[in-house]
Amino acid sequence: RGPDMDELLRRTVAALPPYESRGISPALREGPSQEFVDFYRALETDGRAALLTKLAADYGADHGLVSQLCGQVTEGRDVDALLQAEARLRYSLTPRYKLLIGHICRLEGGVKFLVDLRADILQLLQSQSADSPQLREMNGILKMLLSDWFSVGFLNLERITWHSSCDLLQKISMYEAVHPVRNWVDIKRRVGPYRRCYVFTHNAMPREPLVVLHVALTDDIAKNIQAIVQYGPSPERSEDVNKITTAIFYSISTSQQGLQGVELGNYLIKRVVKELQGEFPHMKKFSSLSPIPGFTTWLLEILQIKEGKSNQIFTELEYKEIQDAIEGPVLETLKRLLSTNEWVRSDKLVRALEMPLMRLCAWYLYGEKHHGAALNPVANFHLQNGAVLWRLNWLADVSPRGLSSSSGMMANYRYFLEDTNHNSIQYLRSRHIEASEQILSLAAQCQKSSKL
Ligand SMILES: CC(C)(COP(=O)(O)OP(=O)(O)O)[C@@H](O)C(=O)NCCC(N)=O
């Protein structure tokens, strides 16, 4: 049996050298760091949870020393002494595990190991199976380091085409989280004419697309995803530049869970806008065509809560039209038809539902909040980037996936380049959502005719 965890940690997590010898370049601790990596990789989930919890709890900063040094940082001392005291205090706040992280990132494959280690920490924190303040602290420290290592200056923008390598095309297909790639024909279309696919890569993780952005080049803001992923132009077509005035971001996915919160997707969108403006100087419109995951579930909950009070959801006229379009008790039948996607087969019912569902969905995106942010994660992502909630599209995604997740609707989050910084600050600071007239009036109507 190999070393037990405590012994392994004692041996591989160096103590913080005394302040006086902090500058002396530490003996490169490749051996112990590699031993830690090998030991960790050999552990199963529970073992990893135990190790991470112990590492965070027992190998952080020396709290006794910190509080002792705090006492020496006092007003009134001469500047030199004060700065010395502050420097000692600052140094004493360095957790021991931060030195280990610094050594591991210098190993071959060390950065990728640390990205995966943070993914394990996030998994633990999300599953609450090990949720300690020290673990959250270690997650924060690791996230800050990763944000520095993966900042834009260290990332490489790569365009993926049909001539890219198979392993890259295969990874792009595998990572596609929004509109699954079914076969070679699919992926060939997504990198073919009137399409662009860009990724960020990092030299420390070669041949690994960290985040993938799929773009459609169109002459107006798209309102339907089937037109993009199902019926796109045939691969041998050439591009007519005069037909390209708009960029539609129709899918974005990150592949590394451990890089959550590093905002790679945001950076990639902004970087691709610059790239496209270089290729198409006359391009003026930039918008997403985004799914609205969670809306149908939310709607069914509302229908459940409003059992017997349908007048708090539908107007009388709407209720009557729905009643005419279905048999049986209205709310009961409607819940069934919505949860099985059958409703879309009846034109009459589709017409009767358009107004109420568009109104409810506009409110879901604009009005529903979670800790102050937009409840819908995709809305929150684009609004954080400074986009405008610009248009809601009916029957925009009639695939089973689109119907089940958002009753067929999709949203355009539009990027007005000169406003994104301002909008982002407004959203992050005062939770203000910039929205178009269509959205504002639909949301207002919802407030008026539905009591949610
Ligand atoms: C939407 C994505 C790309 C945002 O990533 P990113 O910009 O790195 O944000 P964050 O993860 O740093 O908060 C990411 O959350 C993701 O891959 N989501 C699943 C697919 C999707 N587009 O909703």
Side-chain angles (χ1 to χ4, degrees):
R1 229 172 81 77
D4 80 340
M5 190 179 292
D6 292 345
E7 189 201 332
L8 181 280
L9 286 173
R10 267 195 303 277
R11 191 168 56 249
T12 57
V13 189
L16 195 66
Y19 179 73
E20 288 65 28
S21 55
R22 69 195 180 287
I24 299 162
S25 63
L28 194 64
R29 297 175 48 84
E30 198 159 307
S33 318
Q34 191 60 53
E35 190 184 354
F36 177 92
V37 168
D38 299 341
F39 184 88
Y40 184 84
R41 281 201 172 119
L43 290 174
E44 296 301 319
T45 314
D46 306 3
R48 292 185 175 191
L51 184 141
L52 290 170
T53 308
K54 197 163 193 52
L55 180 66
D58 301 350
Y59 292 85
D62 176 344
H63 306 298
L65 176 61
V66 168
S67 54
Q68 178 200 330
L69 291 172
C70 277
Q72 292 169 23
V73 178
T74 49
E75 298 283 322
R77 300 187 64 170
D78 66 272
V79 174
D80 185 32
L82 181 63
L83 290 178
Q84 270 278 351
E86 287 177 345
R88 283 177 181 277
L89 175 59
R90 189 179 309 116
Y91 179 73
S92 72
L93 285 162
T94 311
R96 284 177 63 178
Y97 54 72
K98 191 172 177 192
L99 300 176
L100 172 69
I101 291 171
H103 293 129
I104 291 174
C105 84
R106 290 169 173 76
L107 296 174
E108 180 69 29
V111 172
K112 170 66 174 159
F113 171 81
L114 290 167
V115 170
D116 293 340
L117 186 124
R118 180 161 181 258
D120 290 346
I121 294 174
L122 288 171
Q123 192 59 42
L124 278 181
L125 293 175
Q126 270 146 18
S127 63
Q128 262 104 36
S129 53
D131 189 354
S132 71
Q134 296 96 330
L135 193 58
R136 281 199 296 280
E137 162 89 356
M138 185 159 80
N139 174 46
I141 286 183
L142 192 46
K143 178 188 160 188
M144 269 193 309
L145 289 168
L146 290 170
S147 297
D148 290 345
W149 301 340
F150 287 84
S151 51
V152 188
F154 298 121
L155 299 172
N156 312 311
L157 180 76
E158 277 184 53
R159 185 183 156 190
I160 305 294
T161 71
W162 191 239
H163 309 296
S164 299
S165 63
C166 279
D167 69 321
L168 266 183
L169 279 163
Q170 195 236 355
K171 279 179 182 161
I172 301 296
S173 310
M174 213 164 53
Y175 293 153
E176 167 51 323
V178 193
H179 304 288
V181 171
R182 290 161 306 187
N183 49 39
W184 281 117
V185 172
D186 259 4
I187 191 63
K188 187 167 187 179
R189 180 182 294 129
R190 298 204 192 171
V191 295
Y194 296 98
R195 298 287 179 274
R196 293 291 183 275
C197 175
Y198 291 100
V199 302
F200 268 147
T201 58
H202 190 286
N203 297 341
M205 294 167 64
R207 314 194 64 74
E208 186 60 59
L210 302 175
V211 54
V212 184
L213 178 62
H214 291 274
V215 191
L217 303 177
T218 63
D219 58 2
D220 206 350
I221 295 187
K223 53 161 95 40
N224 177 285
I225 192 64
Q226 270 71 47
I228 291 177
V229 294
Q230 228 151 358
Y231 313 113
S234 49
E236 47 285 346
R237 282 266 304 277
S238 60
E239 291 176 351
D240 173 356
V241 175
N242 301 318
K243 288 202 188 116
I244 295 174
T245 63
T246 308
I248 301 296
F249 310 126
Y250 67 93
S251 175
I252 181 165
S253 303
T254 52
S255 63
Q256 309 296 320
Q257 290 316 311
L259 291 176
Q260 199 182 52
V262 173
E263 301 221 16
L264 293 180
N266 183 13
Y267 286 128
L268 182 57
I269 288 178
K270 306 291 171 57
R271 181 69 184 76
V272 164
V273 163
K274 283 199 196 84
E275 193 74 10
L276 291 172
Q277 285 178 315
E279 193 181 349
F280 306 100
H282 59 290
M283 182 178 276
K284 291 282 175 283
K285 291 183 272 186
F286 300 90
S287 175
S288 80
L289 177 60
S290 302
I292 310 173
F295 171 69
T296 305
T297 306
W298 177 85
L299 174 65
L300 289 169
E301 279 161 13
I302 296 277
L303 292 174
Q304 183 65 34
I305 295 165
K306 298 292 179 185
E307 192 68 55
K309 290 177 278 181
S310 50
N311 62 333
Q312 290 190 7
I313 305 176
F314 305 111
T315 65
E316 259 177 59
L317 180 61
E318 288 166 351
Y319 187 82
K320 197 176 163 339
E321 280 176 7
I322 296 169
Q323 204 167 28
D324 290 350
I326 54 181
E327 270 87 47
V330 175
L331 281 192
E332 207 47 53
T333 315
L334 191 53
K335 275 192 294 188
R336 180 172 53 77
L337 296 175
L338 283 167
S339 45
T340 58
N341 299 340
E342 282 169 55
W343 65 278
V344 81
R345 286 209 280 262
S346 148
D347 289 347
K348 206 171 168 193
L349 186 50
V350 166
R351 270 196 309 282
L353 287 176
E354 178 170 356
M355 197 49 219
L357 260 52
M358 285 281 276
R359 191 173 65 223
L360 286 159
C361 192
W363 172 256
Y364 166 73
L365 289 172
Y366 182 74
E368 289 293 285
K369 298 289 182 355
H370 174 68
H371 297 315
L375 173 64
N376 181 267
V378 177
N380 186 42
F381 166 69
H382 287 294
L383 293 169
Q384 279 180 339
N385 297 346
V388 172
L389 174 49
W390 190 69
R391 186 172 68 192
L392 193 51
N393 303 289
W394 182 244
L395 298 186
D397 182 354
V398 291
S399 70
R401 188 187 176 92
L403 289 166
S404 309
S405 84
S406 57
S407 305
M409 285 171 280
M410 295 187 87
N412 294 116
Y413 297 97
R414 189 153 171 198
Y415 286 75
F416 294 98
L417 305 181
E418 61 289 349
D419 301 341
T420 48
N421 277 343
H422 173 74
N423 293 343
S424 176
I425 290 167
Q426 288 281 84
Y427 177 66
L428 292 169
R429 193 170 288 166
S430 47
R431 299 302 177 202
H432 168 76
I433 294 181
E434 196 59 25
S436 66
E437 257 321 296
Q438 182 219 24
I439 299 294
L440 293 174
S441 71
L442 282 170
Q445 285 167 46
C446 193
Q447 286 288 70
K448 196 159 49 56
S449 53
S450 311
K451 287 160 195 54
L452 297 187

